[in-house]
Amino acid sequence: MSITKTRKQEVIGDYRRGESDTGSPEVQIAILTTRINSLTEHLRTHSKDYASRRGLLAMVSRRRRLLDYLKKVNPQVYLDMLRRLELRK
């Protein structure tokens, strides 16, 4: 359900702003999206795992807040993130 350390480093490398960036909104959104996708697959097979479902909803809410912040601060980066992560149709 969680992502491996190497996968997390790959995601950070793909979305970071600078060389030492690990906590920008873009990186946090990308990591949360990876975790959400992983947990969604878990819940497809374990449909009665309500504790994980609650965690998934919390992660989706956190990602939504970060996306709202990014939209307010830098709309172009927001649109790029939506396109790169394929969050909207």
Side-chain angles (χ1 to χ4, degrees):
M1 288 188 285
S2 63
I3 59 176
T4 63
K5 188 174 184 177
T6 55
R7 177 66 184 133
K8 187 173 181 178
Q9 291 302 321
E10 290 172 11
V11 171
I12 290 172
D14 291 342
Y15 290 93
R16 64 184 177 191
R17 291 180 184 171
E19 194 60 36
S20 63
D21 176 24
T22 58
S24 67
E26 295 91 337
V27 172
Q28 292 181 52
I29 291 167
I31 291 171
L32 278 171
T33 301
T34 305
R35 291 180 64 199
I36 288 168
N37 292 339
S38 171
L39 196 52
T40 301
E41 289 301 316
H42 168 78
L43 286 172
R44 285 201 176 113
T45 56
H46 303 92
S47 60
K48 294 188 178 185
D49 188 354
Y50 297 112
S52 292
R53 184 177 310 278
R54 184 172 182 268
L56 174 67
L57 291 174
M59 283 190 271
V60 170
S61 297
R62 190 175 317 136
R63 181 178 71 180
R64 180 76 257 157
R65 285 192 305 267
L66 284 166
L67 283 168
D68 288 343
Y69 167 77
L70 197 58
K71 184 177 182 180
K72 182 176 68 171
V73 172
N74 195 342
Q76 186 58 46
V77 175
Y78 168 76
L79 293 174
D80 291 341
M81 287 297 293
L82 291 181
R83 183 183 45 78
R84 286 179 70 188
L85 294 172
E86 300 172 356
L87 290 179
R88 304 206 178 238
K89 302 286 188 254

